[in-house]
């Protein structure tokens, strides 16, 4: 049996609260959905997020320990690592990337230039209109209406270093014998590499990689024996 312990039970897997509304003849009804408001002991990632059936928040993707429950459309498995730096505190630059991506829901690594002020406010940076307009023209010199993540980071956090290592080990456990090589339940070991590019290469035929990319968009994994473990 798998259990994820939180401070309080919630129905949702995103972080903090989210508001939705429905409108009928200009009468709007708001509902507040409650997510988790702190890190859990173990995390959760799911291939269903890539399919846009749900959104998993920061707190589940970044638990206190490097252990994640992985969800497919039919089954739950477990992923873990010996690398403690995977759950080390965020650097200012990593916080900035996370906030930036809150305004980039499609994961395109750019935001519309009009929301630059909102991003700066969320990061508690200078956000006076005159300064924002100056930065907007500097970050979008061709006036394309977008601001790239790399340009934003180079401008505001040029010296930031990642706390996450570039390479680390991963181990995966699937308790269904038929889903394991030779029909014997065993741990699958892999060596993960985080590529320098922020471009996510989606591969619908590889659910494992697709699921991992919801946490590490630029990850590649070399699994022992060239056998990618099954999520089902």
């Amino acid at each position: 049996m798998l259990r994820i312990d939180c401070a309080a039970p919630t129905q949702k897997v995103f972080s903090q609260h989210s508001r939705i509304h429905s409108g009928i003849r200009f009468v709007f009804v708001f509902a507040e959905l409650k997510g988790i408001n702190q890190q859990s002991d173990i995390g959760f990632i799911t291939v269903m997020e890539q399919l846009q059936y749900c959104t998993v928040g920061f707190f589940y993707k970044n638990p206190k320990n490097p252990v994640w429950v992985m969800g497919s459309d039919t089954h739950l498995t477990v992923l873990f690592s010996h690398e403690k730096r995977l759950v080390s505190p965020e650097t200012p630059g990593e916080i900035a990337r996370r906030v930036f991506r809150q305004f980039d829901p499609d994961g395109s690594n750019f935001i519309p230039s009009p929301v630059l002020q909102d991003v700066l406010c969320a990061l508690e940076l200078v956000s006076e209109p005159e300064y924002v307009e100056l930065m907007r023209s500097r970050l979008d010199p061709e006036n394309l209406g977008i601001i790239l993540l790399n340009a934003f980071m180079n401008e505001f956090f040029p010296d930031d270093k990642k706390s996450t290592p570039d390479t680390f080990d991963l181990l995966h456990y699937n308790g269904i014998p038929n889903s394991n090589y030779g029909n014997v339940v065993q741990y699958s070991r892999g060596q993960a590499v985080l590529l320098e590019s922020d471009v996510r290469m989606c591969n619908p035929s590889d659910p494992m990689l697709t699921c991992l990319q919801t946490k590490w968009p630029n990850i590649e994994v070399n699994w022992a024996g060239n056998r990618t473990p099954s999520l089902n």
Side-chain angles (χ1 to χ4, degrees), residues 115-209:
V115 305
L116 176 61
Q117 185 173 28
D118 296 329
V119 175
L120 295 177
C121 285
L123 290 170
E124 298 183 350
L125 298 175
V126 178
S127 57
E128 279 73 13
E130 296 81 4
Y131 177 78
V132 172
E133 189 58 37
L134 174 64
M135 286 295 101
R136 185 180 290 123
S137 61
R138 184 166 176 171
L139 296 172
D140 182 19
E142 298 180 8
N143 199 28
L144 299 176
I146 62 173
I147 294 173
L148 300 177
L149 172 60
N150 285 342
F152 180 86
M153 295 302 300
N154 290 337
E155 178 65 35
F156 293 102
F157 300 90
D159 300 321
D160 187 74
K161 296 181 180 179
K162 297 186 299 181
S163 62
T164 303
D166 292 327
T167 62
F168 49 90
D169 69 311
L170 288 176
L171 293 97
H172 180 259
Y173 177 83
N174 188 329
I176 299 179
N178 291 341
S179 297
N180 287 264
Y181 179 73
N183 295 326
V184 177
V185 175
Q186 56 190 306
Y187 291 102
S188 297
R189 297 177 179 271
Q191 188 66 27
V193 178
L194 299 184
L195 306 177
E196 292 185 3
S197 172
D198 281 322
V199 177
R200 179 182 301 181
M201 303 298 292
C202 296
N203 184 356
S205 64
D206 190 345
M208 170 61 72
L209 181 62

Side-chain angles (χ1 to χ4, degrees), residues 18-29:
S18 179
R19 300 187 75 195
I20 62 172
H21 72 272
S22 60
I24 302 176
R25 293 186 179 181
F26 305 106
V27 177
F28 291 90
V29 178

